[in-house]
Amino acid sequence: MNFPENTPWVEKHRANNFSSIKGQDESINELRNFLENFPKKKAIVLHGPPGVGKTTMAYAAARELNAEILELNASDLRNKDKINSIVGPASSQSPLFKKYKIILVDEVDGISIVDRGGLPKLLEIIDKSAFPVVVTANDIWNKKFSALRKKARLVALKPLDYKVVLTILKALAIEESVEVSVEVLTSIAIKAKGDLRAAINDLQIISKIEGEIKPEDIGERNKEESIFSALQHVFKNSNLDSKMFGIYDEVNMPIDELFLWVEENIPLEYKGVELARAYNALSKADVFRGRIYRQQYWRFMVYEYFLLGAGIASAKNSNRTGWTNYKKPTRILKIWLQNQRAVKKKSICQKYAKHCHISLKRSMKEFMMIKILLKNLKIRQELRLDEEEIAYLDKPLSSEK
């Protein structure tokens, strides 16, 4: 299959059968057993942390059985009337082109307690469905899912061992012709913390960056689950519910980084006039951010967060359906790499300034001239520059930009 150049690698390389899914053998056997013994239980819940293959496993099952699959995101299930109009007929009608059907309700965590009718109607459809219902969830133990847990078979998917992630990354790097060291791949695999989707996204980002990447350049991934949930709620919903006005409250992330996430992912959900409206809301939020910095008038943060949430949500004409693979901003990693290089520049200037009895400020200002002087090996030895500082000095000018 030919994919567009900007296709996310997690979609391009999604496993399409059980044998291609690594590290989840036990869960695959349970899913296969459930489908073979349907309708003993009408629904199965694949639950576990993000990026472990819950949705992929459902699609692999459909291919294994030559089944038609109807995918619904929790954002589609805002009320019982919509669930009834979409899922109701699908749960009883025979498939048109396949001999079998699977109903996939993806990311059920997104059904809010305030969406009255959503979960009860879903449970009713599970009872009446003539076909198996596969549900995916990050946290099935939330108290709002107590009734769902009683009706469905629960299968826990575990975070992938970093060695499994590393094996997949190595194969993917070869297939995509990415020149990257095993040490960097290992760093990505470890810091992904069992999230294969996160690891693949990191590798795709790195493949676009010029210059050498080192293992220590790979940042920790410990904030993305909450930001993904927030973006999903803002980008998928046009209704300004109570959750929308405090959507970023639980996101443990600096506001500047939050702006980058929103900016990067708006084009994935908005087109045409809606795209212009969304960016207009983002630009107004940025205006208030500037006023806060200049005037220290923190009361403006109310307007800033309102525009980032409700403002961008209201830019679209209707709710969005389906699943979108939100991307980590490439600028975050580029800024991180640039900061790491700036650290080397500063340490060189500190050594030079101390040796020549000048200020650090002057040394930084005159760095281009100093860099020429430091081509002399004797001067490098006298300043006791380490290997990383020497490597920074020997890089071409273009790689520092």
Side-chain angles (χ1 to χ4, degrees):
M1 183 182 294
N2 294 323
F3 291 90
E5 186 177 350
N6 62 346
T7 302
W9 287 358
V10 290
E11 291 298 319
K12 184 177 178 181
H13 299 280
R14 184 185 290 276
N16 54 22
N17 53 55
F18 284 152
S19 62
S20 300
I21 299 174
K22 308 300 181 185
Q24 301 289 1
D25 294 345
E26 192 174 322
S27 300
I28 288 173
N29 289 335
E30 291 198 50
L31 177 58
R32 182 186 284 116
N33 181 263
F34 162 78
L35 294 171
E36 289 175 353
N37 290 285
F38 179 82
K40 191 173 182 180
K41 275 273 189 180
K42 293 293 189 74
I44 186 170
V45 177
L46 305 177
H47 65 97
V52 295
K54 300 185 292 292
T55 305
T56 296
M57 195 177 293
Y59 273 92
R63 281 183 173 268
E64 293 273 347
L65 296 172
N66 190 29
E68 175 185 325
I69 190 164
L70 171 65
E71 178 184 350
L72 294 169
N73 192 283
S75 60
D76 299 328
L77 311 179
R78 309 317 304 175
N79 56 63
K80 63 180 182 181
D81 292 332
K82 190 162 188 179
I83 293 177
N84 194 37
S85 63
I86 297 175
V87 187
S91 65
S92 56
Q93 294 172 352
S94 299
L96 294 175
F97 305 107
K98 305 281 186 178
K99 64 178 184 179
Y100 201 66
K101 180 186 290 185
I102 293 175
I103 299 172
L104 170 62
V105 181
D106 203 17
E107 297 182 347
V108 75
D109 306 77
I111 296 182
S112 172
I113 294 175
V114 299
D115 296 328
R116 294 183 178 178
L119 274 173
K121 193 62 184 179
L122 179 58
L123 296 173
E124 181 182 334
I125 288 169
I126 289 173
D127 284 335
K128 296 179 179 179
S129 179
F131 303 100
V133 179
V134 178
V135 180
T136 70
N138 292 332
D139 180 18
I140 192 60
W141 302 110
N142 187 301
K143 63 181 181 180
K144 67 182 179 182
F145 295 131
S146 58
L148 177 59
R149 290 196 297 270
K150 295 175 182 177
K151 286 185 176 291
R153 180 172 178 175
L154 306 183
V155 176
L157 276 70
K158 59 186 178 182
L160 296 175
D161 184 270
Y162 87 91
K163 293 178 183 177
V164 175
V165 177
L166 178 58
T167 300
I168 295 171
L169 291 181
K170 285 179 179 178
L172 202 155
I174 292 172
E175 189 170 346
E176 291 289 345
S177 302
V178 181
E179 295 183 6
V180 60
S181 69
V182 175
E183 290 76 16
V184 169
L185 291 178
T186 303
S187 180
I188 295 174
I190 292 173
K191 292 178 179 178
K193 299 177 181 177
D195 186 340
L196 179 60
R197 180 172 60 209
I200 293 175
N201 284 340
D202 278 349
L203 181 60
Q204 185 172 11
I205 290 170
I206 285 174
S207 72
K208 305 296 183 183
I209 296 177
E210 297 180 359
E212 182 186 3
I213 304 295
K214 296 183 179 180
E216 58 268 24
D217 293 333
I218 308 302
E220 296 285 345
R221 303 187 69 101
N222 57 358
K223 302 173 183 177
E224 294 183 19
E225 182 176 349
S226 56
I227 185 62
F228 279 132
S229 298
L231 291 178
Q232 182 186 52
H233 194 80
V234 171
F235 289 158
K236 296 292 186 184
N237 300 302
S238 60
N239 301 326
L240 302 186
D241 54 24
S242 58
K243 183 179 178 181
M244 191 72 73
F245 294 94
I247 190 63
Y248 299 115
D249 290 350
E250 301 302 320
V251 178
N252 182 24
M253 181 176 291
I255 185 67
D256 291 341
E257 192 173 334
L258 186 60
F259 263 85
L260 294 177
W261 275 92
V262 174
E263 177 190 34
E264 181 83 14
N265 290 289
I266 281 177
L268 300 181
E269 294 283 7
Y270 296 82
K271 304 294 179 185
V273 175
E274 293 182 346
L275 180 65
R277 290 177 192 158
Y279 272 125
N280 183 47
L282 180 65
S283 67
K284 288 180 178 178
D286 194 39
V287 169
F288 281 105
R289 179 171 59 162
R291 289 173 179 171
I292 292 169
Y293 288 158
R294 288 193 306 272
Q295 303 173 23
Q296 296 293 294
Y297 196 39
W298 298 100
R299 183 177 161 192
F300 282 154
M301 287 189 71
V302 175
Y303 306 111
E304 184 180 19
Y305 278 100
F306 174 82
L307 289 164
L308 278 178
I312 291 174
S314 63
K316 53 187 173 295
N317 296 323
S318 61
N319 291 347
R320 293 285 185 268
T321 60
W323 178 81
T324 303
N325 178 46
Y326 299 126
K327 299 186 296 184
K328 181 177 182 179
T330 53
R331 285 172 60 189
I332 291 178
L333 185 54
K334 289 179 179 178
I335 291 169
W336 166 257
L337 294 174
Q338 185 61 36
N339 289 342
Q340 294 300 304
R341 292 167 184 144
V343 168
K344 301 304 175 189
K345 177 179 177 180
K346 185 175 180 180
S347 66
I348 293 169
C349 289
Q350 285 174 331
K351 292 180 179 180
Y352 182 86
K354 183 177 181 180
H355 189 80
C356 297
H357 304 287
I358 62 175
S359 68
L360 174 60
K361 183 177 180 180
R362 180 179 171 184
S363 179
M364 294 284 284
K365 186 176 181 180
E366 298 176 354
F367 182 73
M368 296 306 296
M369 182 192 72
I370 293 171
K371 187 172 182 179
I372 296 173
L373 293 174
L374 293 180
K375 289 182 179 180
N376 188 301
L377 297 179
K378 290 184 178 180
I379 299 177
R380 290 184 178 188
Q381 292 173 355
E382 198 168 345
L383 293 181
R384 297 181 179 178
L385 300 181
D386 60 33
E387 292 181 0
E388 292 185 354
E389 290 168 339
I390 292 172
Y392 176 81
L393 288 170
D394 291 340
K395 282 186 178 180
L397 294 175
S398 59
S399 66
E400 296 178 23
K401 295 180 182 179

